[in-house]
Amino acid sequence: MKNWKTGLNRQWEKYKYFIAVISVGVLLLVSSGIPGSKDTAADTEEAVSQEFDLASFQQSVADSLSKIDGAGHVEVLLSLESGEEAVYASDVSQTSQTSGGSTDSSSESYQSTMSILSDGSYGESPVLIKSNYPTFRGAVILCDGADNDVVRLQITQAVSALCGISTDHISISKMSQ
């Protein structure tokens, strides 16, 4: 009986650090969520589904501009140069062919395949590297205080800074009553 306890103590002394490291690893996995779990899949879908909504952006710009002293009620219309663009990861392979004969000619071809991420039982989705937001072409601002030069200047500078539009592509007009 004493030999059995002594053998167990020797085994414990030998593997106690290994058992401690494995235990800490399991605790970390359980507390942070295992990759591929429902929480991680939901976070990925939420990140991908955040798309640019022009109408809500225009409304938020109008709400902000209406807080400028003297601007009054404001409506904003923005035109887009280019829409939102998603950049996905892809694998590109190059093949070269050289044909012999009287004239040496070579040709190169490229093949691109989109990288796909499998998230277990939730299906497959392409690997999103980045999203490029739209670029704006111009803006038309209608507001009650457009007859005041100071208000026009403040609105022009605000829209230019916010949307990246040059001031010559911003038109501000007085709103009809």
Side-chain angles (χ1 to χ4, degrees):
M1 182 89 140
K2 195 171 191 177
N3 283 340
W4 179 73
K5 288 184 180 179
T6 307
L8 186 60
N9 283 338
R10 278 191 217 142
Q11 293 295 330
W12 171 253
E13 288 296 322
K14 188 175 181 180
Y15 293 110
K16 69 180 177 183
Y17 295 112
F18 178 72
I19 293 171
V21 168
I22 294 297
S23 300
V24 169
V26 168
L27 286 173
L28 286 174
L29 280 175
V30 169
S31 66
S32 67
I34 299 171
S37 68
K38 292 180 184 178
D39 294 337
T40 307
D43 292 343
T44 304
E45 288 177 16
E46 181 180 316
V48 171
S49 68
Q50 292 179 352
E51 295 179 7
F52 180 77
D53 182 18
L54 182 61
S56 66
F57 183 72
Q58 289 178 152
Q59 186 59 46
S60 65
V61 171
D63 292 342
S64 298
L65 293 177
S66 67
K67 294 177 183 174
I68 293 176
D69 187 34
H73 180 71
V74 177
E75 289 186 20
V76 176
L77 300 170
L78 296 169
S79 63
L80 297 176
E81 182 78 29
S82 64
E84 183 177 15
E85 176 187 24
V87 179
Y88 295 101
S90 63
D91 296 325
V92 178
S93 61
Q94 174 186 4
T95 56
S96 299
Q97 295 179 351
T98 306
S99 61
S102 61
T103 60
D104 288 334
S105 63
S106 64
S107 64
E108 292 184 0
S109 64
Y110 295 94
Q111 182 178 8
S112 177
T113 57
M114 189 175 295
S115 298
I116 303 293
L117 177 67
S118 176
D119 51 1
S121 63
Y122 296 104
E124 296 178 343
S125 61
V127 178
L128 181 67
I129 294 177
K130 66 178 179 175
S131 290
N132 295 330
Y133 287 102
T135 54
F136 297 102
R137 177 180 298 150
V140 174
I141 313 295
L142 304 172
C143 68
D144 293 331
D147 51 353
N148 185 338
D149 291 335
V150 174
V151 171
R152 291 172 62 91
L153 179 62
Q154 289 175 338
I155 290 175
T156 302
Q157 289 175 342
V159 172
S160 177
L162 183 64
C163 300
I165 304 171
S166 63
T167 56
D168 60 328
H169 289 103
I170 299 171
S171 174
I172 301 174
S173 299
K174 182 153 179 74
M175 190 177 293
S176 66
Q177 299 297 328

